[in-house]
């Protein structure tokens, strides 16, 4: 069964540094998402992406964050100037349609900011 | 605004017994979808079951079934013949047709006692 893959599985960075989290969505999916989960708690929506542009973003997704689909397969989340509170599990997800089909999640990237 | 509420932070069930996890939601949409996701200690988010609001029949997937009460805006998950491998966080999620954003509840941690 096709899977969403995320790399790296764990990223440690120093406060103020930039990080790029990478994702390869399922190939026939058209909609891509980033979610964040702090300390195994609430799963928070960050951003959705369709047709090479952001379709919706949350209040968490401020100027510090950006997303990109640099080629036909990768989908990246960039965090500029990381803060301690950015430490979380970041999940990439994709879906065939928007709303009606389920999200398929990757295994997540655990980001630790020191 | 759409909201998803899981009022049980933690539940326990004896192995081989049945347990029901609660979820309520609020929406003014008519064409919407509900999901249950399982997050084991490995942290991957796994789709358990999906329900379409326009379908009267409750969804089932092997030992997992839902009790969908549309008028009450309730969507509970029943796990029959609980197994040790069912121990996980369970998240209820909501979306509607055309949305770019899926909303998750705060989760219920299920413990399975041997």
């Amino acid at each position: 069964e096709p899977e969403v893959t995320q790399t790296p599985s764990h990223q440690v960075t120093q406060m103020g540094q930039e990080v790029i989290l990478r994702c390869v969505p399922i190939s026939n999916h058209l909609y891509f998402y980033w979610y964040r989960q702090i300390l195994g708690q609430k799963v928070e929506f960050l951003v959705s992406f369709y047709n090479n542009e952001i379709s919706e973003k949350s209040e968490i997704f401020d100027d510090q964050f950006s997303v990109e689909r640099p080629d036909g397969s990768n989908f990246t989340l960039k965090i500029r100037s990381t803060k301690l509170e950015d430490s979380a599990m970041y999940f990439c997800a994709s879906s065939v349609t928007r709303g009606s089909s389920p999200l398929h999640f990757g295994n997540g990237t655990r980001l630790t900011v020191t | 605004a759409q909201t998803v509420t899981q009022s049980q932070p933690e539940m326990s069930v004896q192995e081989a017994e049945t347990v029901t996890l609660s979820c309520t939601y609020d929406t003014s949409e008519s064409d919407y979808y509900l999901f249950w996701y399982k997050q084991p200690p490995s942290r991957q988010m796994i789709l358990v079951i999906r329900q379409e609001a326009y379908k009267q029949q409750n969804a089932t997937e092997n030992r997992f079934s839902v009790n969908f009460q549309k008028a009450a805006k309730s969507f509970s998950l029943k796990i029959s013949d609980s197994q040790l491998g069912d121990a996980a966080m369970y998240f209820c999620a909501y979306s509607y047709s055309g949305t770019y954003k899926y909303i998750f509840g705060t989760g219920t941690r299920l413990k399975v006692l041997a």
Side-chain angles (χ1 to χ4, degrees), chain A residues 10-11 13 19 79 82 86-90 109-113:
Chain A
H10 192 188
Q11 174 89 47
T13 189
V19 295
I79 310 175
T82 49
D86 293 328
S87 295
M89 195 76 165
Y90 288 82
T109 293
R110 181 178 299 281
L111 176 65
T112 302
V113 182

Side-chain angles (χ1 to χ4, degrees), chain A residues 10-91:
Chain A
H10 192 188
Q11 174 89 47
V12 181
T13 189
Q14 287 191 324
M15 195 167 52
Q17 296 297 303
E18 174 183 287
V19 295
I20 298 176
L21 310 183
R22 303 179 192 280
C23 169
V24 179
I26 295 173
S27 60
N28 66 332
H29 287 190
L30 300 177
Y31 300 87
F32 314 122
Y33 313 80
W34 285 100
Y35 280 80
R36 180 177 83 174
Q37 185 181 35
I38 296 175
L39 292 177
Q41 301 301 317
K42 190 175 180 181
V43 178
E44 300 175 298
F45 170 78
L46 291 178
V47 67
S48 55
F49 192 86
Y50 169 70
N51 201 26
N52 280 320
E53 61 182 26
I54 290 174
S55 41
E56 187 163 348
K57 61 183 181 179
S58 72
E59 61 277 7
I60 302 170
F61 194 89
D62 58 22
D63 292 343
Q64 178 195 11
F65 294 90
S66 62
V67 289
E68 192 178 38
R69 190 159 161 82
D71 53 42
S73 58
N74 289 285
F75 178 50
T76 62
L77 174 69
K78 182 189 290 186
I79 310 175
R80 286 182 279 274
S81 189
T82 49
K83 298 178 274 198
L84 294 176
E85 53 265 37
D86 293 328
S87 295
M89 195 76 165
Y90 288 82
F91 288 101

